[in-house]
Amino acid sequence: MRRTTSPFSLVLLGLGTFLLVLAPLLAWYVQPRAAVNPIDIDTTAVYTGRGSVFDTDRIETVSDRKITVTQRVRGNVEDSERSGNAVWDVTTTVDTDKSLPAADPHDALDFNPHRWVMDRKTTRPVHCCGEKPYIEGEAYLKFPFDVQKRSYQWWDNTLGDTVVLRYRGTEKVQGYTGYKFTGSVAPRKTGTRMVPGSLVDQPDRPQVLAEEWYSNHGFELVVDQATGRVIYAQTGPKRTLRAPGGKKDAAVLLDSRKISFTTGTQKEAVRQAKRDSGQLRLVGTTLPIGAGVAGLVLAAVGGLLVARGRKEPEQPVPPETPDTPQPTLTM
């Protein structure tokens, strides 16, 4: 008896080998290249809360006003493709009901446009492409991919510096679990502003170069672990004016203990986090494991079939007889 190999067993063996090679390729090559920050982003986050604001018409601070912060992020595709980085243009406006809706964002209580440039893989700041201001730290607007249970240096654009945000465990937002980080900012001088002297307790001086001070009652961020997307954000800004060299606040420009994502912003952030983290999990875990298991099974079955083969009887060779004419050699 002799053995022959069937085409089916060879196909199984080949397919199994292919899947075994594909599994680590998906996990180690495809997934890291899928975890990149987009260049065509266009999102809007809305925060609301209550607090004190400076009323420019009444020339005084008024309390218990609804405060709305709108932050729009748009990717500059042309600059991103040219530089190889993610170039995001950010516009932040602070409004009260008095300035909403505003046809022009410049009519807001506060209007702050700036540009953030980052490495698409690490989310680290890159200083190019008209970046303004000079942003530092490990995270701003979002965390890096694969968030760790440790402290991060978060850029606070109002402060103009980084803030340490410490890991505080996990928390659910709209039923979705993320990593929670918190931090705060002690009062710090951030600049100067020319104002009437009466605003900073110097009524005898018509104009004074007052000091601007900023602090934050507390940041609270909940972040998707896989993508670094912020699914909940809460901040407590306080901005004041002091007389030159003053030791205490003379006027309050903005003060709120809690301004946070609206429900609509939370739901949209969670939806995007689920989608993006699901895609990363698919190419980084689900498909590699599935391909590895299927490849192992198919390769084992195919190899077994090849080894066993198919038994076929050998054709008998007819014996020689005296009557069988023998070939003769002729010259």
Side-chain angles (χ1 to χ4, degrees):
M1 303 291 285
R2 65 186 179 90
R3 299 179 184 275
T4 61
T5 301
S6 69
F8 179 68
S9 62
L10 292 177
V11 170
L12 288 181
L13 181 60
L15 182 58
T17 303
F18 169 75
L19 291 176
L20 287 174
V21 173
L22 180 64
L25 188 66
L26 287 170
W28 300 334
Y29 184 83
V30 177
Q31 195 272 347
R33 283 158 178 77
V36 294
N37 292 303
I39 63 175
D40 58 349
I41 187 173
D42 189 349
T43 65
T44 300
V46 180
Y47 303 66
T48 58
R50 303 195 73 84
S52 301
V53 297
F54 188 81
D55 190 316
T56 55
D57 292 335
R58 296 168 58 176
I59 318 297
E60 63 179 1
T61 301
V62 293
S63 61
D64 195 28
R65 293 295 188 268
K66 181 180 179 181
I67 300 170
T68 300
V69 178
T70 306
Q71 189 173 67
R72 185 171 187 184
V73 182
R74 300 185 68 180
N76 189 307
V77 176
E78 183 179 353
D79 286 355
S80 297
E81 291 178 340
R82 183 165 49 245
S83 68
N85 303 299
V87 181
W88 291 3
D89 291 319
V90 187
T91 301
T92 304
T93 58
V94 180
D95 291 279
T96 61
D97 287 343
K98 182 179 178 180
S99 60
L100 284 176
D104 186 339
H106 293 82
D107 296 335
L109 186 68
D110 187 59
F111 171 71
N112 183 11
H114 53 287
R115 169 171 283 194
W116 181 33
V117 185
M118 81 190 93
D119 184 283
R120 296 191 66 192
K121 294 180 180 179
T122 66
T123 314
R124 288 276 187 173
V126 178
H127 307 299
C128 75
C129 317
E131 173 211 27
K132 184 180 180 181
Y134 190 94
I135 294 175
E136 298 179 292
E138 300 173 278
Y140 174 52
L141 302 182
K142 74 176 296 291
F143 279 61
F145 293 92
D146 189 23
V147 180
Q148 303 298 303
K149 297 177 180 180
R150 63 172 179 84
S151 297
Y152 281 85
Q153 293 286 337
W154 174 267
W155 175 259
D156 183 342
N157 203 55
T158 303
L159 179 65
D161 201 352
T162 58
V163 178
V164 177
L165 295 185
R166 292 177 171 81
Y167 175 73
R168 301 298 187 186
T170 61
E171 186 163 308
K172 285 185 178 293
V173 176
Q174 301 297 322
Y176 187 76
T177 302
Y179 285 3
K180 180 180 176 179
F181 295 86
T182 63
S184 61
V185 179
R188 190 185 305 184
K189 179 182 175 181
T190 57
T192 57
R193 177 185 298 193
M194 190 66 72
V195 300
S198 58
L199 284 182
V200 290
D201 300 327
Q202 296 188 359
D204 297 334
R205 301 178 62 183
Q207 294 290 317
V208 174
L209 190 62
E211 297 176 357
E212 291 191 54
W213 283 69
Y214 166 75
S215 61
N216 200 296
H217 299 292
F219 292 98
E220 181 180 318
L221 303 178
V222 182
V223 183
D224 176 45
Q225 189 275 331
T227 65
R229 180 183 292 277
V230 177
I231 58 177
Y232 176 81
Q234 175 182 314
T235 182
K238 182 178 183 181
R239 296 169 55 194
T240 62
L241 293 177
R242 295 185 183 184
K247 301 300 182 182
K248 63 178 183 178
D249 297 331
V252 174
L253 301 178
L254 173 68
D255 186 13
S256 175
R257 287 196 166 271
K258 180 181 177 181
I259 302 175
S260 60
F261 272 4
T262 63
T263 300
T265 296
Q266 292 177 41
K267 289 181 177 179
E268 178 61 17
V270 167
R271 183 191 69 80
Q272 294 185 27
K274 285 182 178 180
R275 180 198 64 194
D276 295 343
S277 61
Q279 292 174 351
L280 291 178
R281 186 166 53 251
L282 180 66
V283 298
T285 303
T286 306
L287 287 179
I289 292 177
V293 172
L296 186 62
V297 171
L298 292 177
V301 173
L304 181 62
L305 292 177
V306 169
R308 294 178 60 183
R310 184 177 60 192
K311 296 181 179 180
E312 291 185 355
E314 297 182 0
Q315 296 296 325
V317 178
E320 294 183 1
T321 61
D323 297 334
T324 302
Q326 301 297 318
T328 57
L329 180 62
T330 59
M331 300 295 293

